[in-house]
Amino acid sequence: MQTDLLTDMAIFAAVVEQNSFSGAAEKLQMSKSNVSRRISLLEERLEMTLLHRTTRSMSITESGRVYYEHCARLVAEARDADLAIRAMHASPSGVLNVSLPETLGRALILPLLPEFMNTYPDVRLNLTITSRKVDFREERCDVAVRKGEVEDESLCAISLGQSTQFFYATPKYMAKAPALTRLDDLDNHPFLASQIAYGPVDLAVHRGDETTAKRVSPRLAVKGHEALLMMTLQDLGVALLPAWMTHNHVQRGELVQVLQPFAGPSVEFNIVFQPHRGMAPNLRAFVDFLKSRFRLHRPWEYNEDHTNVVRVRR
């Protein structure tokens, strides 16, 4: 490839975008005559007319329009490459807008942030702790930790693992409750739900590779697992709760797992961000920090025996 070709393509893209030779010359800090000469040489090499020009106006030909799309893409790639290499060597600094899920964010991510801020003293954090999914474009969010499936294909997602739910009750409740060994035995127990319900709820219950739909009528429905855990600890019935939330209560004998080996749905946790080329140093530092902290130790991943499950995802 001729060394001047890339330069000529960039000049042509600038002429089209500025819609004038003089505008392109000013932007590129070249003389107008030099810009015109380079476009003429480009047309001679291609053996086609890219621009119709008169003393008063300029317009792009159909061939020029097709050629411009490739030129503009090439210029953008070169600009992104320049930004990317600069970002690699820049120190993380500036404001980073972070969104965290309420329960998991408070329990497991907030305690890590002092270490991040001490490691990167020039980074300033704006934290939003909410159960809803923030809109990256409308709410100036740079990075989020989200639970559940990432449906927006325009976002990058890095998995932090899964949280599995199991059935729990207190020993005090179970001491006076009917037998609970089969899934259908749930019909004889008050069920506590983690979402508001106005009638029966169909639970997706897993046993190995098999999935069963179990219909229950909640005695109590409360939005959020944190509140649900509090109600379960009051001996009110049986609930599906994330294993990481119940682990310490099980160890202290305050809760027991029931209906083994049945489990509820697993919830995925991800670091989510927009796929900017040349990722800003402060964003890269935050993503790498969380990845490193949760690479081997993922406190929300417990199996039915309540031992920490180590899963390395590359």
Side-chain angles (χ1 to χ4, degrees), residues 153-212:
E153 295 183 355
S154 69
L155 299 176
C156 285
I158 297 174
S159 175
L160 291 177
Q162 293 182 333
S163 170
T164 302
Q165 301 178 81
F166 298 103
F167 292 94
Y168 296 95
T170 62
K172 183 178 178 180
Y173 169 80
M174 291 304 299
K176 58 182 177 58
L180 186 54
T181 57
R182 299 178 302 112
L183 198 55
D184 286 342
D185 290 340
L186 270 180
D187 298 338
N188 303 320
H189 294 260
F191 185 76
L192 316 179
S194 62
Q195 58 186 9
I196 301 301
Y198 299 97
V201 175
D202 289 323
L203 303 176
V205 181
H206 305 280
R207 182 176 183 175
D209 295 331
E210 297 180 0
T211 301
T212 302

Side-chain angles (χ1 to χ4, degrees), residues 138 146 149 161 179:
E138 297 295 328
R146 285 185 177 173
E149 184 179 353

Side-chain angles (χ1 to χ4, degrees), residues 289-314:
F289 175 80
L290 289 187
K291 285 169 58 179
S292 67
R293 292 302 173 274
F294 294 128
R295 181 173 178 267
L296 293 177
H297 176 63
R298 297 183 173 189
W300 46 82
E301 292 190 343
Y302 292 93
N303 66 13
E304 58 268 23
D305 294 323
H306 300 283
T307 55
N308 207 343
V309 177
V310 176
R311 299 173 185 163
V312 179
R313 290 178 174 81
R314 299 185 184 276

Side-chain angles (χ1 to χ4, degrees), residues 94-248:
V95 176
L96 189 68
N97 301 300
V98 182
S99 173
L100 301 177
E102 286 188 347
T103 304
L104 180 131
R106 294 180 194 276
L108 300 177
I109 298 179
L110 275 182
L112 298 177
L113 295 188
E115 179 188 355
F116 174 81
M117 298 183 74
N118 289 331
T119 304
Y120 302 101
D122 294 328
V123 176
R124 304 190 302 278
L125 296 181
N126 283 334
L127 296 179
T128 300
I129 301 177
T130 176
S131 58
R132 66 180 179 83
K133 294 181 179 179
V134 300
D135 188 310
F136 274 76
R137 299 171 185 81
E138 297 295 328
E139 302 182 60
R140 298 183 63 182
C141 180
D142 297 311
V143 60
V145 176
R146 285 185 177 173
K147 64 179 182 179
E149 184 179 353
V150 179
E151 298 174 350
D152 189 341
E153 295 183 355
S154 69
L155 299 176
C156 285
I158 297 174
S159 175
L160 291 177
Q162 293 182 333
S163 170
T164 302
Q165 301 178 81
F166 298 103
F167 292 94
Y168 296 95
T170 62
K172 183 178 178 180
Y173 169 80
M174 291 304 299
K176 58 182 177 58
L180 186 54
T181 57
R182 299 178 302 112
L183 198 55
D184 286 342
D185 290 340
L186 270 180
D187 298 338
N188 303 320
H189 294 260
F191 185 76
L192 316 179
S194 62
Q195 58 186 9
I196 301 301
Y198 299 97
V201 175
D202 289 323
L203 303 176
V205 181
H206 305 280
R207 182 176 183 175
D209 295 331
E210 297 180 0
T211 301
T212 302
K214 175 58 182 173
R215 176 159 292 190
V216 295
S217 297
R219 170 81 191 282
L220 171 72
V222 55
K223 189 173 182 180
H225 284 118
E226 211 166 19
L228 179 62
L229 174 61
M230 292 177 59
M231 294 295 98
T232 307
L233 289 168
Q234 297 302 312
D235 314 313
L236 295 179
V238 180
L240 262 179
L241 287 162
W244 70 267
M245 288 186 67
T246 62
H247 181 70
N248 291 336

